[in-house]
Amino acid sequence: MLSSSSQNETKRAMKSRHLTMLAIGGTIGTGIFLSAGLAISLAGPGSALLSYIVVGLFVYTVVIALGEMSAMYPVSGAFSVFGTRFVSPALGFTLGWNYWFQCELTAAAIILQFWAPQVQPWQWALIIIIPIFLLQLVHVRVYGESEYWFALIKVLMIIVFIFVGLIYDWGGIKGHPGPGLSNFQNSQAFIGGFANFSQTLVYAFYSFGGVELVAVAAGESARPYKSVPRAVKATFIRIILFYVLTILTIGLCINWQDPTLLSAAYNSDVTASPLTVIFQRAGFGAAVHVINAVLLTAVLSATNSAFYGSSRMLLSLATSGQAPRIFGWVNKRGVPVPALMLSLAVSFLTFLTSIWGEGIVFTWLLNLTGISALLVWGSIGVISLRFRAAYKAQGRSLSDLPYTQPLFPLLPLGVVVLATLMFAAEGYSAVKEQPFDVKNVVATYIGVVLYIVLYAGYTAYEWFALGKRQHFVPLLKVDLDGDAVWKRGDGARIRGQDELEGKVLEEMECRNALSWLLSKVREHVY
């Protein structure tokens, strides 16, 4: 019988370039290709753009706060482990299982049905799931490398899309007069007021879902104290380039009343991605299938990341005693096979799309993952405040942290406040939506129910089964040494060593360049 193994552990085989590319484009999944169009059709291009900017800034502050802890404590459980260690075991348990439940595989069927409508969604899901599962079984380096190239393809496609879309909008393509700013004029930018704007937030949450994967992957990166800060900085590029500019381009090129911006919330039919539609209208009709093939890459990448994130989180939960021990078993290659097997089994829930219709299941999962992501991000703000409080209470120096967040405590406080406000805005939009339907309210807050059930359930387990009466971890008893990459007082010494190594490397590069130049001079002189 398998049990949690102390001999085999996950491998720190992911390089800095893997983590950086993962931050830039690795978690760009189906959300940006689907939810962007839905948000514009609901509230207009101005509201959608504003929504993605607000959520983007919010998410970036979350990544900064999380990056500070992950650079110091690079563990696969990331915020789940931090919740247990810095706040309470109940919070860690809740965040871990909450994150594990998040999955975006259902959206795969929606994109792919346009590319090959003769194939059933469940068949496409099978085609995607099995190869990715086998890929994950090999080694974490294979995940890092495959995700690097998947992400690179997505990055290049979006850059090309933005250029083509803006040129088309400005009328730069012969025979295709562009719309210019017409979609933002005549009161078309903001449709439906604050209620509709609030409703677009859930689409933004869904699109930005996965930014926390960098922290999860830090547990298997080679030099996390260097790679995590780089990945945090790269996240800002991702937000501006791949979300804000993409939303702006779609809003400029496609009118909010355009039938191609079909909302999956109200119609189970499937439309093409807005990216594909714009390429078609720009005169690149022959490239439609190429674009959809790249979208397939995005789906494979999203599936790859979902398998990785969920299996590592389950492994972490099992290791900390918050999941069955069997899921803590790791083979010699560092792969948590039982955790991966369970992720595979749950991923087959994608088949539900062929039973109830893609639109219905997608709507519920979109709300579940969107609100769950908001709850996780808001909780990270609380964890960050608690971490710094413990660090100060134990007399630790901030110089011992590989990466420190700026403007503390404004950023984590801002995260908590913004999460609360956006959470309330979601409820307001659900209640104000016409015609009123209680199902919309339930769908909006279904993620909250899961969060409360997990938290209350584990708290009750601690109280009655374990007999624990102390809910929160006392600040002076918070473990600040376990899993730390730097020991107390190591900050200045390691930074000095890194600076010295950098100078030596720079001198060697200069010498090599000078040697090469002299050799070329000799060739021509003599």
Side-chain angles (χ1 to χ4, degrees), residues 276-347:
T276 307
V277 171
I278 290 175
F279 272 105
Q280 281 181 307
R281 295 180 181 179
F284 296 95
V288 170
H289 292 297
V290 176
I291 302 304
N292 276 296
V294 178
L295 293 184
L296 171 61
T297 302
V299 173
L300 291 171
S301 174
T303 308
N304 201 20
S305 295
F307 267 65
Y308 177 81
S310 61
S311 62
R312 266 48 178 192
M313 185 59 71
L314 186 57
L315 167 66
S316 175
L317 288 167
T319 304
S320 61
Q322 295 176 330
R325 290 186 60 197
I326 189 173
F327 297 117
W329 186 82
V330 176
N331 66 13
K332 292 181 179 180
R333 295 189 301 274
V335 179
V337 179
L340 201 55
M341 290 290 291
L342 185 60
S343 297
L344 173 69
V346 173
S347 68

Side-chain angles (χ1 to χ4, degrees), residues 260-454:
T260 60
L261 298 178
L262 182 67
S263 175
Y266 304 109
N267 197 323
S268 60
D269 292 334
V270 182
T271 67
S273 163
L275 279 70
T276 307
V277 171
I278 290 175
F279 272 105
Q280 281 181 307
R281 295 180 181 179
F284 296 95
V288 170
H289 292 297
V290 176
I291 302 304
N292 276 296
V294 178
L295 293 184
L296 171 61
T297 302
V299 173
L300 291 171
S301 174
T303 308
N304 201 20
S305 295
F307 267 65
Y308 177 81
S310 61
S311 62
R312 266 48 178 192
M313 185 59 71
L314 186 57
L315 167 66
S316 175
L317 288 167
T319 304
S320 61
Q322 295 176 330
R325 290 186 60 197
I326 189 173
F327 297 117
W329 186 82
V330 176
N331 66 13
K332 292 181 179 180
R333 295 189 301 274
V335 179
V337 179
L340 201 55
M341 290 290 291
L342 185 60
S343 297
L344 173 69
V346 173
S347 68
F348 281 110
L349 289 176
T350 306
F351 296 156
L352 292 176
T353 60
S354 62
I355 300 173
W356 293 314
E358 296 93 29
I360 297 172
V361 177
F362 177 72
T363 301
W364 281 80
L365 287 184
L366 184 143
N367 280 282
L368 177 61
T369 56
I371 294 298
S372 295
L374 178 60
L375 290 168
V376 168
W377 296 334
S379 299
I380 289 172
V382 175
I383 294 170
S384 176
L385 290 169
R386 181 79 176 175
F387 163 66
R388 279 293 194 97
Y391 214 75
K392 182 179 180 181
Q394 296 187 25
R396 302 292 182 111
S397 171
L398 293 180
S399 63
D400 288 334
L401 293 176
Y403 173 73
T404 54
Q405 58 177 301
L407 304 176
F408 183 87
L410 293 180
L411 292 188
L413 281 173
V415 167
V416 175
V417 172
L418 276 175
T420 304
L421 291 175
M422 287 188 280
F423 185 75
E426 282 297 301
Y428 174 80
S429 67
V431 172
K432 295 292 289 184
E433 189 173 352
Q434 297 297 327
F436 176 78
D437 190 346
V438 70
K439 290 181 181 178
N440 294 331
V441 180
V442 174
T444 299
Y445 284 123
I446 188 172
V448 182
V449 175
L450 175 63
Y451 191 96
I452 293 174
V453 167
L454 290 171

Side-chain angles (χ1 to χ4, degrees), residues 502-521:
K503 288 181 179 179
V504 172
L505 187 62
E506 187 177 345
E507 289 177 3
M508 290 178 62
E509 289 175 350
C510 290
R511 288 175 185 172
N512 291 337
L514 183 61
S515 300
W516 178 83
L517 181 62
L518 290 174
S519 67
K520 291 298 178 183
V521 171

Side-chain angles (χ1 to χ4, degrees), residues 24 69 163 199 208 213 227 229 236-237 252 255 273 286 298-299 301 344 374 444 459 471 473 476-477 502 505:
I24 294 176
M69 295 179 284
F163 275 108
Q199 203 169 338
F208 280 105
L213 190 63
S227 57
F236 184 74
I237 300 173
L252 287 170
N255 188 271
S273 163
V299 173
S301 174
L344 173 69
L374 178 60
T444 299
T459 301
H471 184 71
V473 181
L476 294 177
K477 291 185 178 180
L505 187 62

